[in-house]
Every structure is written in structure tokens, then in C-alpha cells.
Amino acid sequence: MQLLQAAIELYGTRPYEQVSIDDIAAAADVSRALFYRYFSSPSEIYVAALRFAADGLIARFAAPAEGPLLDQLRSLIGEFIAFAESHAAAFVALLRGGSVVATAETGAVVDDVRRHAVAEILARAGVKEPSPLALLTLNCWTAVVEGTTLTWLQERNLPRQDLENWLVDQLLAMVSATAAYDAGTAKVIGTVARP
């Protein structure tokens, strides 16, 4: 755990190539030998650190489903942004893992987070068999959330509550646009829009 937390902090502030085993061991205040007791290579701890960060974020999606769907969506977004804010280094490392050091393993970790987010929204909306357009819409929206949150963490030029509301409104706008082409989505958006 100590090695993983140190690795996450380092990967959140520096590219993978600029973080050495010695850096991780020093940040965790352990010996190089202890590092090798748990991990065989830098790439192995990198994937393990991403998985650790991803599991923490996925756990946030499992908040109880209470109240109207829009309130649940705001709660999910709030949990996502709270995680990103309180674990900024882990969040940055997690998202960088899918693009900067693209491997099958790092890509799978990032994709797993995205799949959980989409699945949680569909489950809360009561959609068991989403159309291809509905899935495309939700996948595009998760990219918007990720990119926006990364930018917000760097700039902090908008109150967090405004960011959360804007992201929910973005989802509603995207789903509304999809509803014009997809009857199943139109039915769901009609339910969501009701007070």
C-alpha cells in the first residue's frame, strides 16, 4: 500500500519515464530490496498503482441509489469530482495511464473505470439493453467528464458546484440530442426530465 501510494503521487506529477524505482522507494521510505520483494519492474508497479487508483474511483460509483435520477446523477458526478480533487495525483496518473504509456494493461484499467461509470448510469436509469447510440452518447460524455475534470484541477476557475451541475446538464443535452434519433433513449429522457 505504501509503495502504491508513493507511486501514484509520483506518476501524478511526472511522466512514467521520469519515475525510477529509486524515486518510488525513496518516496515510500523503503529500500530498493523491499520494492523488488513486491514488484519485479517499474511497469508492474505502474499497472498496480493504476489499478489501486481505479478501484478507489469505482468504489465511489457504488453510492446508494436514492431520490430522483437527476439527483443520483449529481451525486455520482459529485463523488467523481470529490475523488479527483482529494486524490488529484491518482486521478491524473489514472488518466495519463491510458494515453501516455499505452499498453494493453493500462488501457484495460482506464477502460474498466469508464465501463463502470456507464454501467452505473444505465442501471440507475433502468436501461437493461441500451442502443448503440445510447452507449456512444454515454461513452462520449465520460470523455467530456474526464477532460473537463483534468482541466478544472489545473485551473480551478469555476466553483465545484457549478462544474457538477454543468456536467449533469451536458449529459442531459447529449442524451436529448440522441433521443431525436433513438426511440428508447427518448423514452428514458422523458422519464428523467420529469420532476
Side-chain angles (χ1 to χ4, degrees):
M1 176 86 82
Q2 192 174 346
L3 281 166
L4 291 177
Q5 289 174 333
I8 286 169
E9 291 297 322
L10 290 170
Y11 293 135
T13 57
R14 286 190 259 167
Y16 168 80
E17 309 81 40
Q18 294 178 11
V19 178
S20 70
I21 291 170
D22 290 333
D23 292 333
I24 296 169
D29 197 26
V30 301
S31 69
R32 187 178 170 94
L34 185 62
F35 174 93
Y36 280 111
R37 182 175 180 189
Y38 295 102
F39 301 101
S40 63
S41 67
S43 61
E44 186 177 342
I45 193 170
Y46 186 72
V47 172
L50 288 180
R51 180 78 265 168
F52 182 73
D55 288 345
L57 184 51
I58 288 168
R60 297 283 186 122
F61 297 153
E66 298 175 358
L69 184 56
L70 280 180
D71 291 345
Q72 292 180 45
L73 290 174
R74 281 190 180 86
S75 176
L76 286 174
I77 288 294
E79 289 294 327
F80 181 85
I81 294 173
F83 176 89
E85 190 173 25
S86 62
H87 301 88
F91 183 79
V92 171
L94 178 63
L95 293 185
R96 280 186 179 165
S99 57
V100 174
V101 188
T103 68
E105 289 177 295
T106 59
V109 172
V110 175
D111 287 344
D112 192 36
V113 173
R114 293 173 180 149
R115 272 193 303 275
H116 273 84
V118 169
E120 191 67 32
I121 292 167
L122 290 170
R124 289 172 186 251
V127 177
K128 293 181 181 172
E129 294 182 24
S131 69
L133 267 178
L135 284 175
L136 181 62
T137 301
L138 291 177
N139 284 314
C140 288
W141 180 73
T142 60
V144 169
V145 172
E146 290 170 1
T148 301
T149 304
L150 280 173
T151 301
W152 180 78
L153 285 171
Q154 294 169 343
E155 299 176 2
R156 305 288 180 126
N157 57 359
L158 185 69
R160 189 174 122 182
Q161 188 66 42
D162 291 350
L163 176 66
E164 292 173 8
N165 289 331
W166 182 80
L167 287 169
V168 171
D169 289 345
Q170 288 297 310
L171 176 59
L172 291 177
M174 291 175 77
V175 171
S176 295
T178 300
Y181 300 89
D182 183 59
T185 301
K187 184 178 177 181
V188 172
I189 195 68
T191 303
V192 171
R194 288 186 201 125

